[in-house]
């Protein structure tokens, strides 16, 4: 009977895997069908009251819209507004003008700026923007995409201003602050080694570390140390942002000190209409020409203003500034939506929520950059139009998770996993998260899909629910390496559509390495 319940409970998940990977169905359609299947099973087999089921669906939809979707829209609105005002071009010039060594550029743009974009926006921007920038300044486009996919594996947990962990908290009942601390702990090793692997990818092997090992070490530590401290002290919203800012600044300084004369074989070569060999001096000259005019300090601050304001506003509204935090935290509504027993409380914070704070910062930043109100409205509507399917997908997945949780489907899946794997379950916990990301293409959706399962299994085994929740979100980031959506975003960004299989073949070995290391770390963590 337990096995039958397991099989039936897995039907919506199996459907998603088949629909998204084999049938190539769009996410919002596949997830909507999964929701229908879940409701039918919950009412028909698990005998969940129809009214209770409807209220579970409503709870999922409301939880998805606020605070999850509002953060996503705000983050993408900020990015799209910087594109419209031209600020992103200035940012690209500043980052690309630091060095002609492609190993240094991948650390600054692929690692530092990539983590910054993941922390601010997420949803593919951390692969698309750095990869296109790296290809644009002369790096091999395939190596650029693979390196950015690897880089995006660990900051995913704190992406979009911490929304995956905030979502995971709503699913598991564990506070987002506790989850943030555990996630930083479980990810710290992989986060540290990622920039070293990126250098090897763009440099053609481990020999590429020669001459830039010290810079790579600085880049890794400059991200990991503040990232870890912020996760433990502040919480889920700011680790990627704080870590990436420190990383970019320290990497630029280290490059000026340790990389004054990079080896010729690692210097970038821009495209020229000539068949003659390109010298190092010509390469440096062409890069300088590509940069255009120098960016003044005032123009630089203007370009970065939305991101600077987001960082400041999130900081001063966090628990680090209790006066402001307590002042705006009281503007909230708490409601129990689920009509049955054991319904969770939904909290709608009307001011002190990352989405609203990001919107305010983005609007002020847009005004600084000279954007008119009509322009901002146009960008907002364009952002909503371009991403409504992603929003619908998240709403459907969240509703599926709520119905599966309240009906007992997740408990039955967890029950069989406990019987089959026993105390060895932590070894495969990150792999489950990776499968979720491969299917959904989103760390947030993976937390919704499997977060409750991981917590329930952990409780059954007498393990820490927060540790296994962290393992799930770690696996989600790793799974995004081979996720079809992430790869498609990457190849499109570098104008290499049709080369998805080549990218998948190149990145798969790093995926396997990360999954194995993650499983070992997760297992060892349960023994300490």
């Amino acid at each position: 009977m337990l096995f039958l319940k397991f099989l039936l409970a897995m039907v919506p998940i199996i459907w998603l895997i088949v629909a998204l990977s084999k049938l190539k169905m769009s996410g919002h359609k596949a997830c909507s069908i999964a929701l229908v299947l879940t409701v039918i099973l919950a009412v028909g087999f698990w005998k969940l009251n129809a009214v209770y089921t409807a209220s579970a669906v409503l709870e999922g939809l409301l939880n998805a819209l606020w605070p999850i979707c509002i953060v996503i829209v705000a983050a993408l609105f900020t990015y799209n507004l910087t594109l419209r005002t031209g600020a992103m071009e200035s940012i690209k010039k500043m980052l690309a003008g630091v060095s002609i060594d492609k190993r240094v550029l991948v650390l600054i743009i692929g690692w530092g700026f990539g983590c910054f974009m993941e922390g601010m926006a997420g949803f593919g921007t951390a692969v698309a923007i750095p990869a296109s920038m790296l290809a644009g300044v002369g790096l091999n486009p395939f190596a650029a995409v693979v390196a950015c996919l690897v880089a995006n594996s660990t900051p995913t947990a704190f992406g979009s201003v911490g929304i995956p962990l905030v979502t995971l908290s709503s699913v598991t009942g564990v506070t987002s602050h506790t989850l943030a601390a555990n996630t930083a702990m479980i990810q710290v090793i992989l986060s540290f080694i990622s920039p070293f692997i990126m250098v090897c990818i763009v440099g053609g092997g481990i020999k590429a570390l020669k001459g830039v090992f010290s810079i790579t070490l600085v880049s890794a530590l400059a991200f990991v140390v503040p990232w870890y401290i912020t996760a433990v002290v502040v919480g889920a919203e700011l680790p990627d942002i704080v870590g990436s800012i420190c990383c970019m600044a320290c990497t630029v300084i280290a490059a000026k000190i340790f990389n004054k004369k990079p080896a010729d074989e690692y210097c970038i070569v821009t495209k020229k209409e000539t068949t003659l060999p390109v010298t190092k001096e010509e390469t440096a000259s062409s890069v300088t020409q590509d940069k255009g005019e120098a960016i003044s300090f005032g123009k630089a601050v203007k370009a970065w203003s939305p991101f600077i304001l987001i960082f400041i506003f999130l900081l001063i509204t966090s628990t680090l500034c209790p006066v402001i935090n307590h002042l705006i935290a009281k503007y909230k509504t708490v409601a129990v939506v689920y009509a049955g027993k054991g319904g969770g409380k939904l909290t709608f914070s009307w001011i002190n929520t990352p989405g609203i704070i990001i919107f305010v910062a983005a609007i002020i930043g847009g005004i600084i950059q000279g954007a008119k109100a009509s322009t901002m409205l146009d960008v907002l509507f364009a952002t909503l139009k371009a991403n409504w399917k992603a929003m619908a997908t998240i709403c459907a997945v969240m509703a599926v998770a709520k119905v599966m949780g309240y009906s007992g489907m997740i408990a039955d899946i967890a029950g069989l996993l406990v019987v089959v794997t026993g105390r060895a379950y932590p070894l495969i916990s990150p792999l489950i998260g990776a499968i979720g990301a491969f299917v959904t293409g989103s760390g947030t959706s993976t937390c919704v899909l499997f977060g409750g399962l991981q917590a329930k299994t952990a409780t059954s085994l007498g393990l820490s629910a927060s540790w296994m929740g962290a393992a799930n979100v770690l696996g989600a980031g790793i799974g995004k390496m081979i996720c079809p959506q992430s790869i498609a975003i990457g190849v499109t960004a570098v104008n290499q559509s049709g080369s998805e299989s080549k990218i998948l073949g190149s990145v798969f070995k790093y995926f396997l390495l990360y999954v194995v290391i993650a499983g070992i770390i997760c297992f060892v963590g349960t023994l300490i």
Side-chain angles (χ1 to χ4, degrees), residues 12-22 25-32 34 72 123-124 156 164 167 389-398 400-401 404 431-451 472-473 475-487 489:
I13 296 171
I14 293 172
W15 159 252
L16 284 176
I17 294 173
V18 173
L20 294 171
S21 61
K22 295 295 183 182
M25 189 177 289
S26 60
H28 69 292
K29 291 181 180 179
C31 292
S32 297
I72 296 167
F123 288 88
T156 292
T167 305
K389 291 181 180 179
M391 307 301 112
T393 299
I394 291 171
C395 287
V397 171
M398 198 73 179
V400 167
M404 289 183 73
L431 179 60
I432 291 173
I435 293 171
F438 175 78
V439 172
T440 66
S442 163
T444 302
S445 297
T446 302
C447 289
V448 173
L449 197 61
F450 291 134
N472 185 71
V473 77
I478 296 170
K480 286 179 68 177
M481 276 195 219
I482 59 169
C483 163
Q485 294 97 310
S486 295
I487 294 175
I489 288 170

Side-chain angles (χ1 to χ4, degrees), residues 95 98-99 101 103-113 195 199 212 214-223 243-259:
L95 295 175
V98 175
S99 173
D101 190 323
R103 300 166 299 176
V104 174
L105 287 173
V106 81
L107 291 174
I108 296 171
I109 299 174
W111 176 238
F113 190 62
V199 169
V212 293
S214 56
I215 301 174
T216 310
L217 180 62
V218 168
S219 190
L221 290 174
F223 176 81
S244 60
I245 292 172
C246 295
C247 171
M248 286 187 284
C250 292
T251 305
V252 168
I253 294 171
K256 296 297 183 182
I257 297 173
F258 300 116
N259 194 243

